[in-house]
């Protein structure tokens, strides 16, 4: 069965500093990988996705993520965070085709310090 | 705005009761997914429908059921409610094929 681990429950970053959120997955084949963001009181919004090809993927709001097969990781990065980036971030793995739903990690709560 | 509409946004009910949550997917999306989000369990996949047919089932309790209607809207029925069913229930939709899920804003269920 597929699974996702986000080892950091909370991360605090100063505004303007760089950010890396960690994600490790377990899946038997080539995974489909996603990062979603959830702002308070809102649904989840897709930041970026990896299906195949270039292992460095660009997303919305200046985020990027790198797929590393050898480490079973798909870490999310941003060079300079803004106060509006404060939110809950979820990494997810899917079997592809949109079927069987996505398996989400527990999430990382990002706090931005002024 | 994701284009996915969920009603009601908030619902308070008592143990033992039954509720129905409704979801209208984005125009053109054939797949509907239901997720439950709670503090202890995180986001749990419940069930997926594709064009009216059940496509995949996750951690859905027997007390819960869902269906997708010919107009593609979906309903999640929760019965014999328990305190532990209090959670945020999300609906998401997608076109079938590798792609992203578009989430609604959720229905917050409180069971007292």
């Amino acid at each position: 069965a597929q699974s996702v681990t986000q080892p950091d429950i909370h991360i605090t970053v100063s505004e303007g500093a760089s950010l890396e959120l960690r994600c490790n997955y377990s899946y038997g084949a080539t995974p489909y990988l996603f990062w979603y963001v959830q702002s308070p009181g809102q649904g989840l919004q897709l930041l970026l996705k990896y299906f195949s090809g270039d292992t460095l993927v660009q997303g919305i709001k200046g985020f990027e993520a790198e797929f590393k097969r050898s480490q079973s990781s798909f870490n999310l990065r941003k060079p300079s965070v803004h106060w509006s980036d404060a939110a809950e971030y979820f990494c997810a793995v899917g079997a592809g085709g949109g079927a069987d739903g996505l398996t989400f990690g527990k999430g990382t709560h990002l706090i931005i310090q002024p | 705005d994701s284009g996915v509409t969920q009603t009601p946004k908030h619902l308070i009910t008592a143990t033992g009761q039954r509720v129905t949550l409704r979801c209208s997917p984005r125009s053109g999306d054939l797949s509907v997914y239901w997720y439950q989000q709670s503090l202890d369990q995180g986001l749990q996949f419940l069930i997926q429908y594709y064009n009216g047919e059940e496509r995949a089932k996750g951690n859905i309790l027997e007390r819960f059921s869902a269906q997708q209607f010919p107009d593609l809207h979906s309903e999640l029925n929760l019965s014999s409610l328990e305190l532990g069913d209090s959670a945020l229930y999300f609906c998401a939709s997608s076109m079938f094929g590798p792609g992203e899920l578009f989430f609604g804003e959720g229905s917050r269920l409180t069971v007292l």
Side-chain angles (χ1 to χ4, degrees):
Chain A
Q2 58 209 42
S3 66
V4 177
T5 301
Q6 293 181 248
D8 303 306
I9 298 174
H10 299 276
I11 281 189
T12 301
V13 178
S14 298
E15 189 169 14
S18 64
L19 170 70
E20 183 168 27
L21 302 183
R22 296 183 291 165
C23 171
N24 293 98
Y25 67 90
S26 173
Y27 187 67
T30 300
Y32 292 78
L33 294 162
F34 306 81
W35 274 99
Y36 281 82
V37 61
Q38 183 181 25
S39 298
Q42 300 294 315
L44 281 75
Q45 180 185 20
L46 180 71
L47 285 176
L48 46 77
K49 59 190 176 187
Y50 172 79
F51 291 158
S52 64
D54 192 348
T55 57
L56 184 63
V57 293
Q58 302 297 319
I60 63 171
K61 304 184 182 186
F63 286 93
E64 67 178 28
E66 186 171 12
F67 170 59
K68 293 185 177 181
R69 184 188 302 274
S70 61
Q71 297 178 20
S72 297
S73 70
F74 188 57
N75 293 350
L76 181 71
R77 300 194 294 249
K78 186 170 184 177
S80 176
V81 298
H82 186 261
W83 64 266
S84 60
D85 293 324
E88 193 82 17
Y89 290 80
F90 294 92
C91 181
V93 62
D100 301 323
L102 295 179
T103 298
F104 285 85
K106 296 279 192 183
T108 297
H109 185 60
L110 176 62
I111 300 166
I112 306 296
Q113 280 184 336
Chain B
D1 183 4
S2 67
V4 178
T5 303
Q6 289 187 247
T7 58
K9 292 192 183 305
H10 302 276
L11 190 57
I12 301 174
T13 188
T15 55
Q17 295 299 303
R18 172 190 170 95
V19 299
T20 297
L21 309 180
R22 181 188 170 98
C23 169
S24 294
R26 288 190 323 155
S27 177
D29 284 357
L30 301 179
S31 278
V32 169
Y33 305 76
W34 286 97
Y35 283 84
Q36 180 193 58
Q37 185 179 39
S38 61
L39 284 176
D40 54 343
Q41 295 293 323
L43 267 165
Q44 297 285 313
F45 168 63
L46 296 178
I47 197 164
Q48 177 200 358
Y49 278 82
Y50 173 72
N51 202 21
E53 299 292 325
E54 183 182 305
R55 176 71 175 83
K57 188 175 282 191
N59 301 320
I60 188 167
L61 300 172
E62 286 192 7
R63 301 183 284 109
F64 296 179
S65 65
Q67 54 184 326
Q68 186 179 28
F69 295 86
D71 67 353
L72 300 178
H73 91 272
S74 177
E75 293 181 356
L76 178 66
N77 300 296
L78 315 175
S79 61
S80 302
L81 286 168
E82 303 175 359
L83 296 178
D85 297 326
S86 295
L88 194 51
Y89 291 84
F90 283 109
C91 170
S93 72
S94 76
M95 290 293 290
F96 190 70
E100 63 186 272
L101 300 186
F102 292 86
F103 282 80
E105 294 187 353
S107 293
R108 182 170 294 282
L109 172 66
T110 302
V111 182
L112 301 177

